[in-house]
Amino acid sequence: MILALGVFAAGHVIVALGSSFTLLLSARFLTALATGAFWAVANVVATRAVGPAASSRALGVVGAGAMLANVVGVPLGAFAGQLMGWRGPFWALAVLGAAAMALIARQVPHDTDGGQAISVRSELAALRSGRLWLALAACATTTGGVLSTYTYISPLLTDRAHLAAGLVPLVLVGFGLGALGGFLVGGRLGDHRPHATTIAAPAVTTVLLLAICLLSTHAAPTVVLIALLGLFGLGTNPVLISLGVRFAGQAPTLGSALTVSAFNLGTAIGSWIAGLALDSSLGATGPAVIGTVIAALTLIPTIAIACIQRRRSPV
C-alpha cells in the first residue's frame, strides 16, 4: 500500500509540473495503476484486520471512503482549482498521498505471521473457482448498470426533467450521499445475509432504473430516485468484494484485484453502450434503459451463487 501511494503521489507531482499532454496522460495512467493496486491490497488488509465475521462491514467502511471522496473531495477539488489554478488540486493530492503513506506505515501492522508464501501457480489455481467467476460477473453488471446511467445523468436531468444546469451538482451530491450510506448499510447486512443482500439490492436497483426511465420528465421524483439509486445500486459492492476474496481461497489479493477490475470493466463497457444509446432514438433516456437491462442481469450470477451455497456447506 505504501508503494502504491508513493507512485500515486509521484504521478500527481509529474502532472503538476508537466505541460505536455502526452506526459500528463501518461502520468494519469500511472496513478490509475497505483490506485487499482492500492484498492486490491487495502480490501484484503481490511478483511484480515476484522476477521471473516465482519469482513463485509469492513469493506463497506473502506468503500465508503471512496464515496466520501466523491461527495466531498470532488467539490473541494473544483474549489481549489478555482483558487489555485488547475495545478493546485494535483499538488494537494500529492501531499495527501505522502501523508497517507506515513499514516499507513505507523498504523497498519506489518505482515508478521511468518506464513509460507503462496506461489503464482497456486494463486492462479483460484481461477478455477466457478463461484469466483460468478461473483466477478455480478461485480461487472451491478456497477455497469448503475454507472452507465450515472455517467450520462446530466442530459437526462436537463433535457428530460428540465432541471436547471446549476442544480445538477446537488443531484450528484445526493447520489454520492446515497452511495455512502449504501456502502455502510450494505456492508453491515452482508455479514449476516450476504446472498439475500446481493439478490435484493440488484432487484430494487432494476426497479429504480425502470422508474427513472418512466418518470424522467418529472424533476422531483427523478431526483429522489437518483439518490435511492446510489443507496441500493452500489450497496452490494462490499459484499461482492468479500465473496470474491473468500472464493479465491489461497489467493485473496488476486480475488480482491479481480473484483476491482470487474467493477471497472463493467463501468467501461456499460458506459460505452450507454453512450451509443444516448445517440440513438432513445435520446436522454437511452443510458437509463441500458442500465436497467444490465442491472437486471446481476440477478443471474447472484441467484446462482445463492443456489450453489445452499447445496454445499458454508465456506
Side-chain angles (χ1 to χ4, degrees), residues 85-152:
W86 68 268
R87 299 178 192 272
F90 292 99
W91 281 116
L93 285 171
V95 171
L96 290 172
M101 291 171 63
L103 189 63
I104 288 177
R106 182 179 179 85
Q107 298 295 332
V108 177
H110 293 275
D111 293 327
T112 56
D113 55 8
Q116 184 178 1
I118 303 299
S119 67
V120 174
R121 178 176 296 182
S122 297
E123 287 200 329
L124 292 178
L127 298 179
R128 294 198 296 265
S129 170
R131 292 180 299 166
L132 173 61
W133 286 105
L134 287 172
L136 295 178
C139 289
T141 53
T142 188
T143 309
V146 174
L147 295 188
S148 61
T149 303
Y150 181 73
T151 301
Y152 302 99

Side-chain angles (χ1 to χ4, degrees), residues 58-234:
L59 290 169
V61 173
V62 173
M67 295 302 103
L68 187 62
N70 286 323
V71 175
V72 178
V74 172
L76 285 179
F79 181 68
Q82 293 174 356
L83 292 179
M84 307 165 58
W86 68 268
R87 299 178 192 272
F90 292 99
W91 281 116
L93 285 171
V95 171
L96 290 172
M101 291 171 63
L103 189 63
I104 288 177
R106 182 179 179 85
Q107 298 295 332
V108 177
H110 293 275
D111 293 327
T112 56
D113 55 8
Q116 184 178 1
I118 303 299
S119 67
V120 174
R121 178 176 296 182
S122 297
E123 287 200 329
L124 292 178
L127 298 179
R128 294 198 296 265
S129 170
R131 292 180 299 166
L132 173 61
W133 286 105
L134 287 172
L136 295 178
C139 289
T141 53
T142 188
T143 309
V146 174
L147 295 188
S148 61
T149 303
Y150 181 73
T151 301
Y152 302 99
I153 203 67
S154 292
L156 183 76
L157 292 171
T158 56
D159 297 347
R160 292 281 296 174
H162 303 294
L163 198 70
L167 296 177
V168 171
L170 295 178
V171 180
L172 302 185
V173 169
F175 175 88
L177 290 173
L180 175 62
F183 265 84
L184 295 174
V185 175
R188 181 174 290 272
L189 292 176
D191 285 325
H192 304 287
R193 297 285 187 274
H195 303 301
T197 303
T198 56
I199 293 173
V204 175
T205 299
T206 302
V207 174
L208 290 172
L209 286 167
L210 181 60
I212 289 175
C213 295
L214 299 175
L215 300 175
S216 58
T217 56
H218 304 281
T222 302
V223 169
V224 173
L225 288 169
I226 290 173
L228 291 174
L229 181 64
L231 178 64
F232 288 95
L234 300 178

Side-chain angles (χ1 to χ4, degrees), residues 43-44 47-48 51-57 59 125-127 129-133 135-136 187 189-196 198 238-259 305-306 308-310 312-315:
N43 288 334
V44 177
T47 57
R48 286 179 176 174
S55 59
S56 292
R57 186 184 308 179
L59 290 169
L127 298 179
S129 170
R131 292 180 299 166
L132 173 61
W133 286 105
L136 295 178
L189 292 176
D191 285 325
H192 304 287
R193 297 285 187 274
H195 303 301
T198 56
V239 190
L240 291 172
I241 296 172
S242 178
L243 292 177
V245 170
R246 186 192 312 173
F247 295 157
Q250 291 185 315
T253 305
L254 177 61
S256 174
L258 288 173
T259 58
I305 291 173
I308 292 173
Q309 288 297 102
R310 178 170 294 183
R312 58 191 300 173
S313 59
V315 177

Side-chain angles (χ1 to χ4, degrees), residues 277-304:
L278 184 66
D279 295 330
S280 71
S281 59
L282 294 172
T285 59
V289 173
I290 297 301
T292 303
V293 175
I294 296 176
L297 292 175
T298 306
L299 293 171
I300 298 175
T302 55
I303 291 175

